[in-house]
Amino acid sequence: MRILVVEDEIHLAEALATLLKKQNYTADAVYNGEDGLDYAMSNIYDVIVLDLMLPKMSGLDVIKNMRREGNDTPVIMLTAKGEISDKIRGLDSGADDYLAKPFNTDELLARIRALGRRRGEVVQPNAMTFGDIELDTRTLTLSCGGRSIKLTLKESELLEYFMANKNTVLSKEMIIEKLWGFDSAAEANHVEVYVSFLRKKLKFVGSRTVINTVRGVGYSLK
Ligand code: CA
């Protein structure tokens, strides 16, 4: 899963991003509402953790703009002490969940998992299947029949992205955004390299699942 943290207390934003990465999530952090909305509208996130009081644009305005534009990415709104959460609920902003600061990080992680599941990309918490393969995103293990092999984090993220988008051709640009974030310096040849690694590992476990190249468009899992 890819998670966006929008929080103007930079040390908190960075601490949350670090915590999420330790859980094998991909996490980006931005520090004001305008950037939050820009990143959210890229539509590459599975869950957004959004602070209420933000410079440039409030969390409520971020979410209202997202929903108005048809972006339904699940949002957990963070509220500071004194920003009464009942009042926020009453505003019916479109947030999916609320958490008051200071919060317990285990609680935040549990809510992120719950929203990620609701989104439907993760059928089971850690294991995904497609055709004859199984991917455990927690242990980064690819299995087929009795054979298995360890993947790197990026390989696992790439395969998870393919598995979550069955029968869809994913362009190199989409893959770069999903895996490296959208202002990263990653280029198309990064994608080619990781696709070739994954193909070798699929072959190693004896899978009949292949990553097809759709010339000029991208890749799809078959
Ligand atoms: Ca704030």
Side-chain angles (χ1 to χ4, degrees):
M1 285 213 291
R2 185 170 197 109
I3 297 164
L4 176 65
V5 176
V6 190
E7 165 60 75
D8 58 317
E9 291 167 48
I10 293 177
H11 62 279
L12 176 58
E14 296 299 335
L16 286 177
T18 303
L19 172 79
L20 293 167
K21 285 170 187 167
K22 278 194 187 138
Q23 305 290 316
N24 281 338
Y25 296 128
T26 306
D28 297 319
V30 293
Y31 315 116
N32 67 67
E34 277 179 12
D35 287 348
L37 181 60
D38 281 350
Y39 275 63
M41 291 310 294
S42 70
N43 232 334
I44 60 173
Y45 296 100
D46 301 294
V47 175
I48 298 173
V49 178
L50 178 65
D51 190 31
L52 176 62
M53 300 300 282
L54 289 167
K56 295 193 180 174
M57 184 186 288
S58 77
L60 281 179
D61 285 333
V62 171
I63 198 167
K64 279 182 196 155
N65 277 295
M66 283 171 59
R67 300 302 188 236
R68 191 166 56 221
E69 299 294 323
N71 181 312
D72 64 351
T73 308
V75 172
I76 300 175
M77 186 82 88
L78 300 180
T79 63
K81 230 182 194 162
E83 300 163 2
I84 303 157
S85 55
D86 283 349
K87 185 174 156 195
I88 298 154
R89 275 196 197 94
L91 291 173
D92 191 22
S93 62
D96 300 84
D97 204 351
Y98 300 85
L99 202 53
K101 293 182 198 169
F103 51 83
N104 177 303
T105 52
D106 287 340
E107 167 122 44
L108 177 65
L109 292 174
R111 293 183 185 205
I112 286 172
R113 280 196 296 275
L115 284 181
R117 276 200 291 279
R118 205 191 298 172
R119 177 93 157 163
E121 278 201 24
V122 184
V123 178
Q124 291 172 286
N126 306 318
M128 304 175 76
T129 57
F130 176 89
D132 58 0
I133 58 169
E134 183 175 307
L135 171 67
D136 187 321
T137 57
R138 176 65 58 98
T139 61
L140 308 179
T141 306
L142 168 66
S143 312
C144 175
R147 303 190 74 174
S148 62
I149 190 169
K150 280 271 181 197
L151 303 183
T152 64
L153 180 58
K154 284 285 177 234
E155 289 167 355
S156 175
E157 286 177 355
L158 177 57
L159 186 55
E160 183 181 358
Y161 190 35
F162 277 125
M163 290 169 85
N165 292 279
K166 305 175 172 82
N167 311 316
T168 306
V169 177
L170 301 177
S171 70
K172 288 177 183 171
E173 291 74 25
M174 290 164 74
I175 293 170
I176 288 171
E177 282 193 8
K178 182 80 180 175
L179 267 70
W180 285 279
F182 83 121
D183 41 35
S184 85
E187 291 175 15
N189 63 352
H190 284 65
V191 177
E192 290 161 18
V193 167
Y194 279 93
V195 165
S196 79
F197 288 160
L198 265 187
R199 281 175 172 152
K200 287 196 180 81
K201 292 190 173 179
L202 286 166
K203 202 173 260 181
F204 176 85
V205 294
S207 173
R208 291 169 51 225
T209 304
V210 294
I211 301 170
N212 277 342
T213 302
V214 183
R215 199 165 295 280
V217 186
Y219 302 98
S220 71
L221 198 63
K222 284 273 153 57

